[in-house]
Amino acid sequence: MTQIIREIGKDIPSSVVVFLVALPLSMGIAVASGMPAMLGLVTAVVGGIVVGFLGGAPLLIAGPSAGLSVLVLEMVERYRTPEDPFGIASIAIIVMLAGLVQASAGFLKLGTYFRAVSPAVIRGMLAGIGLIIIVKQFHVMIDDDVEGSVLYNIYQIPAGIGKALSTGGERHHYIAASIGVATLLTILLWDRFRPSRLYFLPGALLGVLVASISAALLELPIDYVVVEQSIFSYIALPTAESVQALFSTDLVVSALALAFIASAETLLCATAISRMHQGGRTDYDRELAAQGIGNMICGALGSLPIAGVISRSSVNVEAGAHSKFSSILQAMWILMFVVVVPSLLELVPESALAAILIYVGFRLLKISTPRKMLEYGWPVFLIYLATVTGIVAIDLLSGIVIGLVLSTLRLVYSLAHLEIERIDRDGKIELHLHGAATFLALPFLAGELEEIPPGAELHLHFDELDFIDHACLDFVA
């Protein structure tokens, strides 16, 4: 017991730092997902406590993810009704089913296989998500309502810039834009020039504070976060009607997509965080099972799905976290804040939260990624580009499927690609085989051998092959 108390005491400072980062980010991600800001905090509490306690990556922080916000927004737009404006009844079932898939995969020791995805697809997924967040949140940052596809939102950006620069009209777009730009500048300048003794104060929180205080003092006529009296008023438990939707094919497909994306993001994040500290090794299967249990609870509460998040996790490590208690404590601070002083959240301008998400979107986009992909060759770059294009032009799931299909085709090509170099020398014919000699390349190999004149002296060189299977060995034997 004494040892546990010591561990908790060591993790209090880091948990406070993570709490300061998680509070505005969780709200912003919820708003970007088309959901009430308070639901982002519900997810942060569940992720911190449940996954923090059960997970296999002690310093990983689980909570609402910017990477999942695009998928959740698509679900909100698809399943909302006049009676259920956020589509929570359907989304709750999807999140629970996704959690069940994750938990089952973890218990079946399949965690490592979720990591077997081409880096080009993963980088393309993150870049596509980042681009969508930037485009969508630009309009939120100027208090403009733009519905429709991502491409239509991109098309409307010039008109949005015109509204932000104009002081006319019924709505004060220029005021909201000014607050958003001020928030962005605060984050950028603080991250660049932050004094070392104030390492615990994140730029996102400072940006929200500057925006909220300014808006409150000036009584600015812009959109603010809407908050009910209690966090518990946002919790929507499953009903008999919603449970019947478990057998809906559409919901099952959405759940599988959510499980795949959340698991891939979590396990990649866990790998990155494990390289940042000298603690124990990550148990990927246990972490995946814990994430699944957390999502089942989030679904039961009608909140957003959870995933491992790199921004809060890296802050956790850099702040000196020692154990899982840092994750649990930061969630407790969030819960205490929203229970004791929820009215303070109503002072936060939505444009400030949008600005934070734009900043996160640029970090996901990573302008340097295309150049790095090119270093691995044009095929890898084209897979990355096709994934980004599919996500932006169609939807998140379609873009990922396009990337996976192209990655598979590239793998099949590499397995089927056989080069044969023929050398005629001193009455002998030499065939030097390069690449992979598999049953897929057997017709090509057979064609080359059929061109050898009858009675000719033939030498086959297999030493430069990467692989040869039984079918080819049996054919040339």
Side-chain angles (χ1 to χ4, degrees), residues 115-439:
R115 302 167 62 205
V117 180
S118 168
V121 177
I122 296 297
R123 299 299 179 193
M125 180 186 77
L126 296 177
I129 290 171
L131 185 57
I132 292 175
I133 289 174
I134 293 168
V135 171
K136 292 275 188 178
Q137 293 307 303
F138 167 80
H139 298 289
V140 177
M141 192 179 73
I142 64 173
D143 279 1
D144 195 14
D145 302 320
V146 177
E147 301 290 341
S149 66
V150 179
L151 295 179
Y152 181 71
N153 275 254
I154 293 174
Y155 172 74
Q156 288 294 322
I157 285 179
I161 294 174
K163 292 178 181 179
L165 296 176
S166 173
T167 57
E170 296 180 1
R171 300 186 65 178
H172 300 83
H173 298 292
Y174 71 98
I175 298 178
S178 299
I179 288 294
V181 171
T183 304
L184 269 175
L185 288 176
T186 301
I187 295 172
L188 293 172
L189 292 174
W190 185 253
D191 287 350
R192 177 68 177 83
F193 301 107
R194 174 171 42 193
S196 57
R197 64 181 180 276
L198 295 178
Y199 74 94
F200 59 87
L201 184 59
L205 179 67
L206 187 62
V208 166
L209 288 176
V210 169
S212 301
I213 293 172
S214 301
L217 291 177
L218 299 174
E219 298 182 352
L220 299 179
I222 55 179
D223 293 338
Y224 295 86
V225 171
V226 178
V227 177
E228 299 287 349
Q229 289 298 316
S230 168
I231 187 176
F232 303 106
S233 64
Y234 285 90
I235 294 176
L237 299 177
T239 63
E241 293 181 359
S242 64
V243 172
Q244 292 177 358
L246 285 169
F247 302 101
S248 168
T249 303
D250 187 48
L251 296 189
V252 171
V253 172
S254 296
L256 291 174
L258 176 60
F260 173 79
I261 296 169
S263 300
E265 182 178 354
T266 294
L267 298 180
L268 286 170
C269 177
T271 301
I273 294 302
S274 66
R275 296 172 181 169
M276 296 177 62
H277 66 88
Q278 303 300 320
R281 291 184 176 180
T282 297
D283 185 335
Y284 291 100
D285 295 315
R286 179 174 177 177
E287 182 63 31
L288 186 58
Q291 293 277 338
I293 294 171
N295 270 326
M296 291 171 70
I297 295 174
C298 285
L301 298 177
S303 65
L304 280 73
I306 60 172
V309 283
I310 189 66
S311 57
R312 278 152 277 176
S313 300
S314 59
V315 166
N316 192 38
V317 174
E318 293 167 359
H322 292 81
S323 69
K324 62 184 180 182
F325 291 111
S326 179
S327 173
I328 297 171
L329 286 172
Q330 63 89 23
M332 295 299 297
W333 306 144
I334 293 175
L335 180 60
M336 289 173 59
F337 181 88
V338 297
V339 168
V340 177
V341 286
S343 58
L344 288 181
L345 301 178
E346 294 182 315
L347 300 176
V348 178
E350 287 193 359
S351 57
L353 296 180
I356 293 173
L357 265 295
I358 289 174
Y359 176 73
V360 172
F362 273 109
R363 296 188 66 176
L364 289 172
L365 184 58
K366 285 189 179 179
I367 305 300
S368 62
T369 300
R371 177 176 53 81
K372 292 181 179 178
M373 291 294 102
L374 274 172
E375 292 176 359
Y376 295 96
W378 277 100
V380 172
F381 174 76
L382 291 176
I383 292 172
Y384 163 83
L385 185 61
T387 304
V388 175
T389 304
I391 289 173
V392 173
I394 309 173
D395 57 48
L396 181 59
L397 180 58
S398 299
I400 293 173
V401 169
I402 290 171
L404 292 175
V405 169
L406 291 178
S407 298
T408 304
L409 291 176
R410 180 171 179 263
L411 176 61
V412 170
Y413 173 77
S414 65
L415 291 175
H417 185 60
L418 176 66
E419 293 182 1
I420 301 177
E421 180 185 2
R422 176 171 171 168
I423 300 176
D424 294 286
R425 181 183 301 161
D426 300 329
K428 298 185 299 183
I429 299 176
E430 297 182 5
L431 295 182
H432 294 261
L433 278 62
H434 309 271
T438 68
F439 69 94

